[in-house]
């Protein structure tokens, strides 16, 4: 059994130029890093500024992001498979993998869907867009509950990216191997599932559609 805690002295990259050091567990990282960062970000300051209120067109990026998360989850195996070896195709490699034959994993693909790969991703810094939309909430909406949901979104999206990144190094680390790659990739999928659930709630708060397709 291999514990999914981060060894003392290891630096785990959360984002370009950001690292967390010390013997922190997976959830400890959330408590000390993601939660602290989200708390600082989620202070309601510029959100009250009318000039910063996003247009509906800008908010629809959240809908596009939700659709992409659903697509990722519906096609998880195909999307997170990398280069294939031997004579086995990707479809077969999802079922069978033997030494020298099969497909590598491509965990970093996950980052493209949760907004951690490019500034052009629809969910890139989505929590800031969500906060700017606070003035658009219905008069009877519970703003604190909404901000809590945004906080949770920021945490889950970051953990999705972190676990995908850690999975990509699962074989290179000491005592690494395919089982570690798979374990962290499973964690990433769990966090993506929870991210999608939270994002759905936020779309509902903002009266945004769950799909860009015509009804």
């Amino acid at each position: 059994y291999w514990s999914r805690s981060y060894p003392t002295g290891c630096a785990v990259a959360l984002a370009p130029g950001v690292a967390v050091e010390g013997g922190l567990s997976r959830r400890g990282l959330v408590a000390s890093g993601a939660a602290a960062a989200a708390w600082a970000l989620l202070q309601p300051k510029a959100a009250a500024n009318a000039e910063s209120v996003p247009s509906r067109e800008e908010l629809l990026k959240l809908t596009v992001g939700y659709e992409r998360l659903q697509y990722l989850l519906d096609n998880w195996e195909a999307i997170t498979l990398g280069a294939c070896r031997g004579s086995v195709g990707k479809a077969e490699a999802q079922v069978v993998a033997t030494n020298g034959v099969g497909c590598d994993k491509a965990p970093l693909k996950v980052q493209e869907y949760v907004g951690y790969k490019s500034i052009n991703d629809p969910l890139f810094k989505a929590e800031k867009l969500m906060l700017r939309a606070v003035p658009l909430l219905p008069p009877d909406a519970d703003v604190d509950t909404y901000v809590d949901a945004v906080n949770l979104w920021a945490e889950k999206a970051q953990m999705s990216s972190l676990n995908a990144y850690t999975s990509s190094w699962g074989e290179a680390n000491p005592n690494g191997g395919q089982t570690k790659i798979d374990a962290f990739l499973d964690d990433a999928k769990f966090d993506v599932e929870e991210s999608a659930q939270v994002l759905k709630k936020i779309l509902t708060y903002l009266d945004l559609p769950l799909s860009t397709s015509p009804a």
Side-chain angles (χ1 to χ4, degrees):
Y1 174 76
W2 179 75
S3 173
R4 297 178 202 169
S5 60
Y6 299 88
T8 301
C10 269
V12 181
L14 298 176
V18 180
V20 171
E21 296 190 4
L24 294 178
S25 68
R26 177 180 182 274
R27 295 302 168 188
L29 277 170
V30 175
S32 63
W39 182 90
L41 175 66
L42 298 174
Q43 300 312 299
K45 37 187 178 182
N49 187 341
E51 293 182 0
S52 70
V53 176
S55 66
R56 185 170 179 82
E57 180 180 2
E58 189 176 3
L59 285 173
L60 283 175
K61 291 195 297 185
L62 299 178
T63 296
V64 174
Y66 178 75
E67 287 181 312
R68 282 167 53 82
L69 289 182
Q70 293 302 320
Y71 179 82
L72 171 62
L73 291 170
D74 290 343
N75 299 276
W76 184 267
E77 294 298 331
I79 291 173
T80 58
L81 279 177
C84 292
R85 306 178 300 279
S87 60
V88 175
K90 281 193 175 184
E92 296 163 296
Q94 292 181 44
V95 181
V96 178
T98 58
N99 291 334
V101 179
C103 291
D104 296 324
K105 297 290 186 178
L108 294 181
K109 284 284 187 179
V110 174
Q111 294 182 331
E112 298 177 13
Y113 291 83
V114 295
Y116 275 77
K117 190 70 173 180
S118 166
I119 61 173
N120 296 318
D121 294 339
L123 294 178
F124 177 72
K125 295 186 176 179
E127 56 274 16
K128 291 187 176 181
L129 175 59
M130 295 167 183
L131 283 179
R132 287 170 51 214
V134 166
L136 301 176
L137 293 173
D140 59 345
D142 186 331
V143 176
D144 289 339
T145 301
Y146 175 81
V147 171
D148 285 345
V150 177
N151 191 343
L152 185 58
W153 156 262
E155 175 187 312
K156 293 300 179 180
Q158 186 177 43
M159 286 308 306
S160 300
S161 176
L162 175 61
N163 279 313
Y165 177 85
T166 308
S167 175
S168 72
W169 285 93
E171 198 163 14
N173 287 330
N175 300 317
Q178 190 62 47
T179 56
K180 291 185 180 180
I181 294 174
D182 292 341
F184 276 105
L185 194 53
D186 285 345
D187 279 351
K189 184 177 183 181
F190 175 78
D191 287 317
V192 171
E193 290 171 341
E194 292 202 326
S195 297
Q197 292 172 9
V198 176
L199 182 53
K200 183 178 180 179
K201 291 181 181 179
I202 291 171
L203 291 175
T204 301
Y205 265 109
L206 297 173
D207 194 26
L208 292 170
L210 300 182
S211 172
T212 56
S213 301

